[in-house]
Amino acid sequence: MLRFIVGRVVGLAPVLCAAIVATFIATRLLPGDPVAVMLSDHSADVQMAARLRAEYGLDKPLPEQFVRYIGDILTGDFGLSFRYVHMPVWQVLKDSLLISPLLALAALALALPVGALAGVQAAAHRNRFQDTAIIVVLVAGLSLPNFAIATFLVYLISVKLNLLPVAGWGTFRQAILPVVILAIPSAAYIARLTRTFMLEVMQQDFVRTARAKGLTNRLVIYRHAFRNTLVPLITSAGIIFGGLLSNTVVVETIFNIPGLGRLAIDSIFARDYPVAMAVVMLFVVFFALINLIVDTLYALVDPRVRDGAPA
Amino acid sequence: MLALAAALSGGAGFVLSPAMAKTFRVNVVADPAQMDPITYSEIVAGRILRNMYEGFTVITDDGRNVPALAEKWEPLTTGPGFRFHLRKGVKFHSGRPFTARDVKYTYEALLKPGGKGGLNATYLNIIVGAKELKDGQATELAGVKIVDDYTIELSFTKPDVLFPIYPIYYMDSGIVAELGADWMTKASAGTGPYKFKQWRRGVSVDLDANTSYWGGAPKIDGVSFMIVPNADTALSQYDAGELDFVDVYAAAVRRVLRDERYAKELIRVPRAQSTYLGMNQNLYAPFKDKRVREAISLSIDRNAMIRGLYGGAAFPLNGVVTPGMPGFNPNLPELKFDPERAKKLMAEAGYPGGKGLPPVDISSTEAFKDEITYYANQFNRVLGMPVNVKTVERATFIRAMNAGEVAFFPWGWTADYTDAAYYLSQMWYGPSPYNRPRWKNAEYDKLIDEALTVADDDKRYALYHKAEKVLLDDWGMAPVPMTASVALRKPNVKNVTLTPFGFSLFSKIEID
């Protein structure tokens, strides 16, 4: 097992290297010069432009900039931000670092039980009114874009009813709406998964046996059928978490939350290459970690994966 | 869920702070790029710093420059320069007194190599010894003489009557010794009505009232600049009572102007931004003919633009200097929409119905795409001019304009200090790189040179008016409508407004 995990971690290295090269090239290909952005209307100030260019190493040829950048990564400070004057990238990042993963985690913690319960209910009342009603809600939850739901809920709950803050970050109340909105599509997805798994499980012999024993419907569903859907559900939670992490970008923008997603967008628009590259790398690390966890979970469940035998 | 809440509060900088009763909350569009008066170069930082730092003079809400840290000044008798008499009894946020030493310290910090002085450092270039200090040949600024704690003399290499109004913020010379090189993350080093409390990146910059402010302690406890990039979010926060004053960004202006609910809370002022349609005669030959330039101006229906394109959130501009700016000429004739005369002029210039005109791009940034589409359509329809629309990334576009490489474009120039010279000496003066359409006129340049040596305001303004008329008579450009700044203010908030130069000073705000 340990060998499996070590092997996976070593396998991350080329992924990270590829990410570093790709982000470096992508940011340098963007139209727009960071020094011109810094100076904005005053970019005719050649003295100032030359000074800034030298200060940030932008006067050097690209290969040399790349080597310097690798050096900055190895020393751990990722260089200086272009947007925030004289601030190391790490200092810009550090307040945002945990926000996006926490949002995603909170949304997952909400989506899992809600989604699972809805899925079970739908399966238990297959083709009856409850099932149809739940499916309609699911389809809506999956197909309505996040920002549309967010706008509607903000208008209703925050502006009209004044129950929760419109936007911002810093209090628990401010986190409620973003987490709920982030959780909606995932909850719907989980519900659909659960329903499918449940319907499959309920066809099986042991369920028929349980019924034959004379157990109540509730016991059959929760103790026997639902337990068997938990395993595939938990393994898909990793993938769902990854999706949630990407969706934080949208929610952070709508709710004005200073997380990594918003930072990524802001820094790209400001041509703040060092910050943009560091954020992209952090996301790569997060996704790699999620995949590692999911793979480990699979390996735990299925010995074939662990032993490297063909699945 | 509880454990998660605890994790959230521990890990991500959560603080459970009850809303303070007397904090003035206002939105800004982005994080400031810096929080110190030396490297400061951009507009958000400017809006915040203005409440913590002061210069020799300050802009009043009606756009006048009045003495602040300098009580009075007179020209030197020995050569170009000024003797400033500093205000006594002014204390920095640290409690240290403000004296002539701090003035000298500020200049040197702005000019020193490695001191990383921002854009405002350029205003100091005329002080004797500035170049030597910048090049590292000197360690002190030779042209500054401290006469006593409250008197300082500055010698210039050439006359500059506007020096007292340049936006230089004076800082506490003892702050680095007290708090270290990164002092700006911990405190403010100014004399202004508010002092730095904290900057939560992406959330807010919070200031506390300076209870020992020389101009009288503020009547509120503090100010929060909430960082809200999205126009609709800012408006929703205002609706929900999370902001006391909202700077309405362009994307939400139409909605606000149309909504009756806001009528009583609405503030609308013209921006101190001189807007024009630039025509570069070096790049498009037909622009060399004055008749063509006049015809361009005549075929713009400015009233239709204000009503339609801007939904009422704009004001007409008939010259270079914007209303409210010292040196504005209220007597300029209104610019008319006259398609018939425009067509006639084009025919006289040899382009009847646009025949023989080579194609030209009208270009600008994404933000101006509606404007350039309107112009292209209008010039095509009225003059038969083959105009194509082109949008360019902002920084690239600005650099191209500064290099004089753009033929035909609408743009604006926002004033950093309150004197018409800001527009006249930068936008249309021959040697200025910000003379982006590269219009050149010897008579104009001579009038501007002369004006900048005249200390008497009215006499100087008269020269400004003359120069402005030279430009307008030559149709060196076409003035176009100025967009409005729009804000909303809650009825319980008093003594704060929007001026053409941004927010008014926050020192007298009252919240009921």
Side-chain angles (χ1 to χ4, degrees), chain A residues 32-33 36-37 40-45 47-48 51 55 83-86 92 96 98-99 102 106 158-159 162 165-167 169-172 254 256 258 262-263 271, chain B residues 4 11 14-15 30-34 39 116-118 122 134 201-203 227-229 233 236-237 240 242 393-396 398-399 402 411 413 422 433-434 436:
Chain A
D33 166 14
V37 173
S40 189
D41 248 354
H42 297 266
S43 61
D45 192 335
Q47 254 185 321
M48 184 88 169
R51 208 201 71 205
E55 210 176 301
R83 159 87 168 75
Y84 296 98
V85 176
H86 309 126
V92 178
S96 310
L98 287 176
I99 292 176
L102 273 170
S158 304
V159 178
N162 226 328
V166 171
W169 189 247
T171 66
F172 183 68
I254 296 168
N256 208 19
R262 204 182 109 201
L263 192 59
R271 300 290 181 272
Chain B
L4 192 73
F14 262 80
V15 277
D31 276 283
Q34 60 276 104
T39 65
K116 292 156 185 169
T122 47
K134 271 162 100 174
R201 203 197 53 72
V203 180
I227 293 144
V228 190
T233 307
S236 297
Q237 285 190 296
E242 291 167 34
E393 187 269 336
R394 188 169 190 272
T396 311
I398 288 175
R399 205 168 42 176
N402 288 343
W411 201 251
W413 188 240
Y422 194 87
Y434 303 115
R436 288 161 166 161

Coordinates of all heavy atoms in Angstrom, one line a residue, chain A residues 32-33 36-37 40-45 47-48 51 55 83-86 92 96 98-99 102 106 158-159 162 165-167 169-172 254 256 258 262-263 271, chain B residues 4 11 14-15 30-34 39 116-118 122 134 201-203 227-229 233 236-237 240 242 393-396 398-399 402 411 413 422 433-434 436:
Chain A
G32 N -0.4 42.1 -24.0 CA -0.4 43.0 -22.8 C 0.9 42.9 -22.1 O 1.4 41.8 -21.8
D33 N 1.5 44.0 -21.7 CA 2.7 44.1 -21.0 C 2.5 44.5 -19.6 O 1.8 45.4 -19.3 CB 3.6 45.1 -21.8 CG 4.8 45.5 -21.0 OD1 5.2 44.8 -20.1 OD2 5.4 46.6 -21.4
A36 N 3.3 48.0 -18.7 CA 2.3 48.9 -19.3 C 1.1 48.9 -18.4 O 0.4 50.0 -18.2 CB 2.0 48.6 -20.7
V37 N 0.7 47.8 -17.9 CA -0.5 47.7 -17.0 C -0.2 48.5 -15.7 O -1.0 49.2 -15.2 CB -0.9 46.2 -16.7 CG1 -2.0 46.2 -15.7 CG2 -1.3 45.5 -18.0
S40 N -0.3 52.1 -16.6 CA -1.6 52.5 -17.1 C -1.4 53.7 -18.0 O -0.6 53.6 -19.0 CB -2.6 52.7 -16.0 OG -3.8 52.9 -16.5
D41 N -2.2 54.7 -17.7 CA -2.2 55.9 -18.6 C -0.8 56.6 -18.8 O -0.6 57.4 -19.7 CB -3.2 56.9 -18.0 CG -4.4 57.1 -18.9 OD1 -4.4 56.5 -20.0 OD2 -5.3 57.8 -18.6
H42 N 0.1 56.3 -17.8 CA 1.4 57.0 -17.8 C 2.5 56.2 -18.4 O 3.7 56.4 -18.1 CB 1.7 57.4 -16.4 CG 0.7 58.3 -15.8 ND1 0.9 59.7 -15.8 CD2 -0.5 58.1 -15.2 CE1 -0.2 60.2 -15.2 NE2 -1.0 59.3 -14.8
S43 N 2.1 55.3 -19.3 CA 3.2 54.4 -19.8 C 4.2 55.1 -20.7 O 5.1 54.5 -21.2 CB 2.6 53.2 -20.6 OG 1.8 53.6 -21.6
A44 N 4.0 56.4 -21.0 CA 5.1 57.1 -21.7 C 6.2 57.5 -20.9 O 7.2 58.0 -21.3 CB 4.5 58.3 -22.4
D45 N 6.1 57.2 -19.6 CA 7.2 57.5 -18.6 C 8.3 56.5 -18.8 O 8.3 55.5 -18.1 CB 6.6 57.6 -17.2 CG 7.6 58.1 -16.2 OD1 8.8 58.1 -16.5 OD2 7.2 58.6 -15.2
Q47 N 11.5 56.4 -18.2 CA 12.4 56.2 -17.1 C 11.8 55.2 -16.1 O 12.4 54.2 -15.7 CB 12.6 57.5 -16.4 CG 14.0 58.1 -16.6 CD 14.1 59.3 -15.8 OE1 13.2 60.1 -15.6 NE2 15.3 59.5 -15.2
M48 N 10.6 55.5 -15.8 CA 9.8 54.7 -14.8 C 9.7 53.2 -15.3 O 9.8 52.3 -14.6 CB 8.5 55.3 -14.6 CG 7.6 54.6 -13.5 SD 8.0 55.3 -12.0 CE 6.7 54.6 -11.0
R51 N 12.8 51.3 -15.1 CA 13.2 50.9 -13.7 C 12.3 49.7 -13.3 O 12.8 48.8 -12.7 CB 12.9 52.1 -12.8 CG 13.7 52.1 -11.6 CD 13.1 53.0 -10.5 NE 11.9 52.3 -10.0 CZ 10.9 52.9 -9.4 NH1 10.9 54.2 -9.3 NH2 9.8 52.3 -9.0
E55 N 13.4 46.0 -12.2 CA 13.1 45.6 -10.9 C 12.5 44.2 -10.9 O 12.7 43.4 -10.0 CB 12.2 46.6 -10.3 CG 12.3 46.7 -8.8 CD 11.3 47.9 -8.4 OE1 11.5 49.0 -8.8 OE2 10.4 47.6 -7.6
R83 N 1.2 43.1 -9.3 CA 0.1 44.0 -9.1 C 0.2 44.7 -7.7 O -0.1 45.8 -7.6 CB -1.2 43.1 -9.1 CG -2.4 43.6 -8.4 CD -3.2 44.5 -9.3 NE -4.6 44.8 -8.8 CZ -4.8 45.6 -7.8 NH1 -3.8 46.2 -7.2 NH2 -6.0 45.8 -7.3
Y84 N 0.6 43.9 -6.7 CA 0.8 44.5 -5.4 C 2.2 44.9 -5.2 O 3.1 44.0 -5.2 CB 0.4 43.5 -4.3 CG -1.1 43.1 -4.4 CD1 -1.5 42.0 -5.0 CD2 -2.0 44.0 -3.9 CE1 -2.8 41.7 -5.2 CE2 -3.4 43.7 -4.0 CZ -3.8 42.5 -4.6 OH -5.1 42.2 -4.7
V85 N 2.4 46.2 -5.1 CA 3.8 46.7 -5.1 C 4.7 46.1 -4.0 O 4.4 46.2 -2.8 CB 3.7 48.2 -5.1 CG1 5.1 48.8 -5.0 CG2 3.0 48.8 -6.3
H86 N 5.7 45.5 -4.5 CA 6.8 45.0 -3.5 C 6.3 43.9 -2.6 O 6.8 43.8 -1.5 CB 7.5 46.1 -2.8 CG 7.9 47.2 -3.7 ND1 7.6 48.5 -3.6 CD2 8.7 47.1 -4.8 CE1 8.1 49.2 -4.5 NE2 8.8 48.3 -5.3
V92 N 0.6 37.5 -0.9 CA -0.6 37.7 -1.6 C -1.5 36.5 -1.4 O -2.7 36.5 -1.2 CB -0.4 38.1 -3.1 CG1 -1.8 38.2 -3.8 CG2 0.4 39.3 -3.2
S96 N -5.7 33.6 1.0 CA -6.7 33.0 0.1 C -6.5 31.5 0.1 O -7.5 30.8 -0.3 CB -6.5 33.5 -1.3 OG -6.4 34.8 -1.4
L98 N -6.6 28.8 2.0 CA -7.5 27.8 2.5 C -9.0 28.0 2.1 O -9.8 27.1 2.3 CB -7.4 27.8 4.0 CG -6.1 27.1 4.5 CD1 -6.0 27.2 6.0 CD2 -6.0 25.7 4.1
I99 N -9.3 29.2 1.6 CA -10.7 29.6 1.4 C -11.4 28.7 0.4 O -12.4 28.1 0.7 CB -10.8 31.1 1.0 CG1 -10.4 31.9 2.2 CG2 -12.2 31.4 0.6 CD1 -10.4 33.4 2.0
L102 N -11.8 25.1 1.6 CA -12.8 25.0 2.7 C -14.2 25.2 2.1 O -15.2 24.5 2.6 CB -12.5 26.1 3.7 CG -11.5 25.7 4.8 CD1 -11.1 26.9 5.6 CD2 -12.2 24.6 5.7
A106 N -17.0 22.4 2.6 CA -18.3 22.7 3.2 C -19.4 22.3 2.3 O -20.5 21.7 2.7 CB -18.3 24.1 3.6
S158 N -31.3 38.0 0.5 CA -30.5 39.1 1.0 C -31.1 40.5 0.8 O -31.2 41.2 1.8 CB -29.1 39.1 0.4 OG -28.5 37.8 0.6
V159 N -31.5 40.7 -0.4 CA -32.0 42.1 -0.7 C -33.4 42.3 -0.2 O -33.7 43.2 0.5 CB -31.8 42.4 -2.2 CG1 -32.4 43.8 -2.5 CG2 -30.4 42.3 -2.6
N162 N -33.6 40.4 3.5 CA -32.6 40.8 4.4 C -32.2 39.8 5.5 O -31.9 40.2 6.7 CB -33.0 42.1 5.1 CG -31.9 43.2 5.0 OD1 -30.7 42.8 5.1 ND2 -32.2 44.4 4.9
P165 N -26.2 38.3 4.5 CA -25.4 39.3 3.8 C -25.4 39.0 2.3 O -25.4 37.8 1.9 CB -24.0 39.2 4.4 CG -24.2 38.4 5.6 CD -25.4 37.6 5.5
V166 N -25.3 40.1 1.5 CA -25.2 39.9 0.0 C -23.9 39.3 -0.5 O -23.9 38.5 -1.3 CB -25.4 41.3 -0.6 CG1 -25.1 41.3 -2.1 CG2 -26.8 41.9 -0.3
A167 N -22.8 39.8 0.2 CA -21.5 39.3 -0.3 C -20.5 39.6 0.8 O -20.9 40.2 1.8 CB -21.1 40.1 -1.6
W169 N -16.8 38.4 3.1 CA -16.2 37.2 3.7 C -15.7 37.7 5.0 O -15.2 38.8 5.2 CB -15.0 36.8 2.8 CG -14.4 35.5 3.2 CD1 -13.1 35.3 3.7 CD2 -15.0 34.2 3.2 NE1 -12.9 34.0 4.0 CE2 -14.0 33.3 3.6 CE3 -16.2 33.7 2.8 CZ2 -14.3 31.9 3.7 CZ3 -16.5 32.3 2.9 CH2 -15.5 31.5 3.3
G170 N -15.8 36.9 6.0 CA -15.3 37.2 7.3 C -16.2 36.7 8.5 O -15.8 36.5 9.6
T171 N -17.5 36.5 8.2 CA -18.4 36.0 9.2 C -19.0 34.7 8.7 O -19.1 34.4 7.5 CB -19.5 37.0 9.5 OG1 -20.3 37.2 8.4 CG2 -19.0 38.4 9.9
F172 N -19.6 34.0 9.7 CA -20.2 32.7 9.3 C -21.4 32.9 8.4 O -21.6 32.2 7.4 CB -20.6 31.9 10.6 CG -21.2 30.6 10.3 CD1 -20.4 29.6 9.8 CD2 -22.5 30.3 10.5 CE1 -20.9 28.3 9.5 CE2 -23.0 29.1 10.2 CZ -22.2 28.1 9.8
I254 N -19.0 35.9 -7.6 CA -20.4 36.4 -7.3 C -20.4 37.0 -5.9 O -21.0 38.1 -5.7 CB -21.4 35.3 -7.5 CG1 -21.5 34.9 -8.9 CG2 -22.8 35.8 -7.0 CD1 -22.3 33.6 -9.2
N256 N -17.9 37.8 -4.0 CA -16.8 38.6 -3.6 C -16.0 38.0 -2.4 O -15.8 38.7 -1.4 CB -17.4 40.0 -3.1 CG -16.5 41.1 -3.3 OD1 -15.5 41.0 -4.1 ND2 -16.7 42.2 -2.7
P258 N -12.5 36.4 -1.2 CA -11.1 36.5 -1.6 C -10.4 35.2 -1.7 O -9.3 35.0 -1.1 CB -10.5 37.5 -0.5 CG -11.3 37.2 0.7 CD -12.7 36.9 0.2
R262 N -11.0 33.7 -7.3 CA -11.1 35.1 -7.7 C -9.7 35.7 -7.9 O -9.5 36.5 -8.8 CB -11.8 35.9 -6.6 CG -12.5 37.1 -7.1 CD -13.2 37.9 -6.0 NE -12.4 39.1 -5.7 CZ -12.5 39.8 -4.6 NH1 -13.3 39.3 -3.6 NH2 -11.9 40.8 -4.4
L263 N -8.8 35.3 -7.1 CA -7.4 35.8 -7.2 C -6.9 35.4 -8.6 O -6.2 36.2 -9.2 CB -6.5 35.2 -6.1 CG -5.2 35.8 -5.9 CD1 -5.3 37.2 -5.6 CD2 -4.4 35.0 -4.8
R271 N -2.5 41.1 -15.4 CA -1.2 40.6 -15.9 C -0.2 40.4 -14.8 O 1.0 40.7 -14.9 CB -0.6 41.6 -16.9 CG -1.5 41.9 -18.1 CD -1.6 40.7 -19.0 NE -2.4 41.0 -20.2 CZ -3.7 40.8 -20.2 NH1 -4.4 40.3 -19.2 NH2 -4.4 41.0 -21.3
Chain B
L4 N -16.9 22.0 11.1 CA -16.5 22.7 9.9 C -16.5 24.2 10.1 O -15.6 24.9 9.7 CB -17.5 22.3 8.8 CG -17.1 22.7 7.4 CD1 -16.0 21.8 7.0 CD2 -18.3 22.6 6.5
G11 N -9.2 28.7 10.1 CA -8.3 28.6 8.9 C -8.3 29.8 8.0 O -7.3 30.1 7.4
F14 N -11.5 34.2 9.7 CA -12.8 34.6 10.0 C -12.7 35.5 11.3 O -12.0 35.1 12.2 CB -13.7 33.4 10.3 CG -14.6 33.1 9.1 CD1 -14.1 32.3 8.1 CD2 -15.9 33.5 9.1 CE1 -14.8 32.0 7.0 CE2 -16.7 33.2 8.0 CZ -16.1 32.4 7.0
V15 N -13.4 36.5 11.3 CA -13.6 37.2 12.6 C -15.1 37.5 12.8 O -15.8 37.9 11.9 CB -12.8 38.6 12.6 CG1 -11.4 38.4 12.9 CG2 -13.0 39.3 11.3
A30 N -11.3 47.6 -6.6 CA -10.2 46.6 -6.5 C -9.4 46.8 -5.3 O -9.6 47.9 -4.7 CB -9.3 46.6 -7.8
D31 N -8.6 45.9 -5.0 CA -7.6 46.1 -3.9 C -6.7 47.3 -4.3 O -6.4 47.4 -5.5 CB -6.7 44.9 -3.7 CG -7.4 43.9 -2.8 OD1 -7.4 44.1 -1.5 OD2 -7.9 42.9 -3.3
P32 N -6.2 48.1 -3.4 CA -5.2 49.0 -3.8 C -3.9 48.2 -4.1 O -3.7 47.1 -3.6 CB -5.0 49.9 -2.5 CG -5.4 49.0 -1.4 CD -6.5 48.1 -2.0
A33 N -3.1 48.8 -5.0 CA -1.8 48.1 -5.3 C -0.7 48.4 -4.3 O 0.3 47.7 -4.2 CB -1.3 48.6 -6.7
Q34 N -1.0 49.4 -3.5 CA 0.0 49.7 -2.5 C -0.7 50.6 -1.4 O -1.7 51.2 -1.7 CB 1.2 50.5 -3.0 CG 0.9 51.8 -3.8 CD 0.5 51.6 -5.2 OE1 -0.7 51.7 -5.5 NE2 1.4 51.3 -6.1
T39 N 5.4 54.8 -3.1 CA 5.2 54.0 -4.3 C 3.8 54.2 -5.0 O 3.6 53.8 -6.1 CB 5.4 52.5 -4.1 OG1 4.3 52.1 -3.2 CG2 6.7 52.2 -3.4
K116 N 11.9 53.5 -5.0 CA 10.8 53.1 -5.7 C 9.6 54.1 -5.7 O 8.5 53.7 -5.6 CB 10.3 51.7 -5.1 CG 11.3 50.6 -5.3 CD 11.2 49.5 -4.3 CE 12.4 48.5 -4.6 NZ 12.6 47.6 -3.6
G117 N 10.0 55.3 -5.9 CA 9.0 56.4 -6.0 C 8.1 56.1 -7.1 O 8.5 55.7 -8.2
G118 N 6.8 56.4 -6.9 CA 5.7 56.1 -7.9 C 5.6 57.3 -8.8 O 6.6 58.1 -9.0
T122 N 7.6 62.3 -10.4 CA 7.9 63.1 -11.5 C 7.7 64.6 -11.3 O 8.3 65.4 -11.9 CB 7.2 62.7 -12.8 OG1 5.8 62.6 -12.4 CG2 7.6 61.4 -13.3
K134 N 18.6 61.1 -8.0 CA 18.0 59.9 -8.7 C 19.1 59.0 -9.3 O 19.0 57.8 -9.3 CB 17.1 60.3 -9.9 CG 15.7 60.5 -9.5 CD 14.9 61.4 -10.5 CE 14.1 60.6 -11.5 NZ 13.3 61.5 -12.3
R201 N -6.9 41.6 2.3 CA -6.9 41.6 0.9 C -8.2 40.9 0.3 O -8.6 39.9 0.8 CB -5.7 40.8 0.4 CG -5.2 41.1 -1.0 CD -4.3 40.1 -1.6 NE -4.9 38.8 -1.5 CZ -5.9 38.4 -2.2 NH1 -6.5 39.1 -3.1 NH2 -6.4 37.2 -2.0
G202 N -8.7 41.6 -0.7 CA -10.0 41.1 -1.3 C -11.2 41.4 -0.5 O -12.3 41.1 -1.0
V203 N -11.1 41.9 0.7 CA -12.3 42.2 1.5 C -12.4 43.7 1.8 O -13.4 44.3 1.3 CB -12.2 41.4 2.9 CG1 -13.4 41.7 3.7 CG2 -12.0 39.9 2.6
I227 N -13.9 46.1 -0.8 CA -13.4 45.8 -2.2 C -14.4 45.0 -2.9 O -14.6 43.8 -2.6 CB -12.0 45.1 -2.1 CG1 -11.0 46.1 -1.5 CG2 -11.6 44.6 -3.4 CD1 -10.0 45.6 -0.6
V228 N -15.1 45.6 -3.8 CA -16.2 45.0 -4.6 C -16.0 45.2 -6.1 O -16.3 46.2 -6.6 CB -17.6 45.5 -4.1 CG1 -18.7 44.7 -4.7 CG2 -17.7 45.6 -2.6
P229 N -15.5 44.2 -6.8 CA -15.2 44.4 -8.2 C -16.5 44.4 -9.1 O -16.5 45.0 -10.1 CB -14.3 43.2 -8.6 CG -14.0 42.5 -7.3 CD -15.0 42.9 -6.3
T233 N -23.1 43.4 -7.6 CA -22.9 43.0 -6.2 C -22.9 44.3 -5.3 O -23.5 44.3 -4.2 CB -21.5 42.2 -6.0 OG1 -21.5 41.2 -6.9 CG2 -21.4 41.7 -4.6
S236 N -26.4 45.5 -4.9 CA -27.1 44.7 -3.9 C -26.7 44.9 -2.5 O -27.5 44.9 -1.6 CB -26.9 43.2 -4.3 OG -27.4 42.9 -5.6
Q237 N -25.4 45.1 -2.3 CA -24.9 45.4 -0.9 C -25.5 46.7 -0.4 O -25.8 46.8 0.8 CB -23.4 45.4 -0.9 CG -22.8 44.0 -1.0 CD -21.3 44.0 -0.7 OE1 -20.6 44.6 -1.5 NE2 -20.9 43.3 0.4
A240 N -29.1 46.2 0.5 CA -29.3 45.4 1.7 C -28.7 46.2 2.9 O -28.7 45.6 4.0 CB -28.6 44.1 1.5
E242 N -25.6 47.1 3.4 CA -24.2 46.8 3.8 C -23.2 47.8 3.3 O -22.0 47.7 3.6 CB -23.8 45.4 3.1 CG -24.6 44.3 3.8 CD -24.5 42.9 3.0 OE1 -23.5 42.7 2.4 OE2 -25.5 42.2 3.0
E393 N -6.3 45.3 -26.6 CA -6.0 45.2 -25.2 C -5.5 46.5 -24.6 O -4.7 47.2 -25.2 CB -5.0 44.0 -25.0 CG -4.8 43.6 -23.6 CD -3.7 44.4 -22.9 OE1 -2.8 44.9 -23.6 OE2 -3.7 44.5 -21.7
R394 N -6.0 46.8 -23.4 CA -5.8 48.2 -22.9 C -4.3 48.7 -22.8 O -4.0 49.7 -23.4 CB -6.5 48.3 -21.5 CG -6.5 49.7 -21.0 CD -7.4 49.8 -19.7 NE -7.6 51.2 -19.4 CZ -6.8 51.9 -18.6 NH1 -5.7 51.3 -18.1 NH2 -7.0 53.2 -18.3
A395 N -3.5 47.9 -22.1 CA -2.1 48.3 -22.0 C -1.4 48.5 -23.3 O -0.6 49.4 -23.5 CB -1.4 47.4 -21.1
T396 N -1.7 47.5 -24.2 CA -1.1 47.6 -25.5 C -1.5 48.9 -26.2 O -0.8 49.6 -26.9 CB -1.5 46.4 -26.4 OG1 -1.3 45.2 -25.6 CG2 -0.7 46.3 -27.7
I398 N -2.7 51.7 -24.9 CA -2.2 52.9 -24.3 C -0.7 53.2 -24.8 O -0.4 54.3 -25.1 CB -2.3 52.9 -22.8 CG1 -3.7 53.0 -22.3 CG2 -1.4 54.0 -22.1 CD1 -3.9 52.8 -20.9
R399 N 0.0 52.1 -24.9 CA 1.4 52.2 -25.3 C 1.4 52.7 -26.8 O 2.2 53.6 -27.1 CB 2.2 50.9 -25.1 CG 3.6 51.2 -25.0 CD 4.4 50.0 -24.6 NE 3.9 48.8 -25.3 CZ 4.4 47.6 -25.1 NH1 5.4 47.4 -24.3 NH2 3.9 46.6 -25.8
N402 N 0.5 56.4 -26.8 CA 1.7 57.2 -26.3 C 2.8 57.3 -27.4 O 3.5 58.3 -27.4 CB 2.2 56.7 -25.0 CG 1.3 56.9 -23.9 OD1 0.4 57.7 -23.9 ND2 1.5 56.1 -22.8
W411 N -10.7 58.9 -26.6 CA -10.0 58.6 -25.3 C -10.3 59.7 -24.3 O -10.9 60.7 -24.7 CB -8.5 58.5 -25.5 CG -7.8 57.7 -24.5 CD1 -7.0 58.2 -23.5 CD2 -8.0 56.3 -24.2 NE1 -6.6 57.2 -22.7 CE2 -7.2 56.0 -23.0 CE3 -8.7 55.3 -24.7 CZ2 -7.1 54.8 -22.5 CZ3 -8.6 54.0 -24.2 CH2 -7.8 53.8 -23.1
W413 N -8.6 61.8 -20.6 CA -7.4 62.0 -19.8 C -7.9 62.5 -18.4 O -8.6 63.6 -18.3 CB -6.5 63.0 -20.5 CG -5.2 63.2 -19.9 CD1 -4.7 64.4 -19.4 CD2 -4.1 62.3 -19.7 NE1 -3.4 64.2 -18.9 CE2 -3.0 62.9 -19.1 CE3 -4.0 60.9 -20.0 CZ2 -1.8 62.3 -18.8 CZ3 -2.8 60.3 -19.7 CH2 -1.7 60.9 -19.1
Y422 N -3.3 70.6 -16.2 CA -3.2 69.2 -16.3 C -3.6 68.7 -17.7 O -2.9 67.8 -18.2 CB -4.0 68.5 -15.2 CG -3.6 67.0 -15.1 CD1 -2.5 66.7 -14.2 CD2 -4.2 66.0 -15.8 CE1 -2.1 65.3 -14.2 CE2 -3.8 64.7 -15.7 CZ -2.7 64.4 -14.9 OH -2.3 63.1 -14.8
P433 N 4.4 63.4 -24.5 CA 4.1 62.1 -25.0 C 2.6 61.7 -24.9 O 2.1 60.8 -25.6 CB 4.9 61.1 -24.2 CG 5.1 61.8 -22.9 CD 5.2 63.3 -23.2
Y434 N 1.9 62.5 -24.1 CA 0.4 62.2 -23.9 C -0.4 63.0 -24.9 O -1.6 62.9 -24.9 CB 0.0 62.4 -22.5 CG 0.9 61.6 -21.5 CD1 1.7 62.2 -20.6 CD2 0.8 60.2 -21.6 CE1 2.5 61.4 -19.8 CE2 1.6 59.4 -20.8 CZ 2.4 60.0 -19.9 OH 3.2 59.3 -19.1
R436 N -1.5 62.4 -27.7 CA -1.5 61.1 -28.5 C -1.9 61.3 -29.9 O -1.4 60.5 -30.7 CB -2.5 60.2 -27.7 CG -1.8 59.8 -26.4 CD -2.8 59.2 -25.4 NE -2.1 58.5 -24.4 CZ -2.6 58.3 -23.2 NH1 -3.8 58.7 -22.9 NH2 -1.9 57.6 -22.3

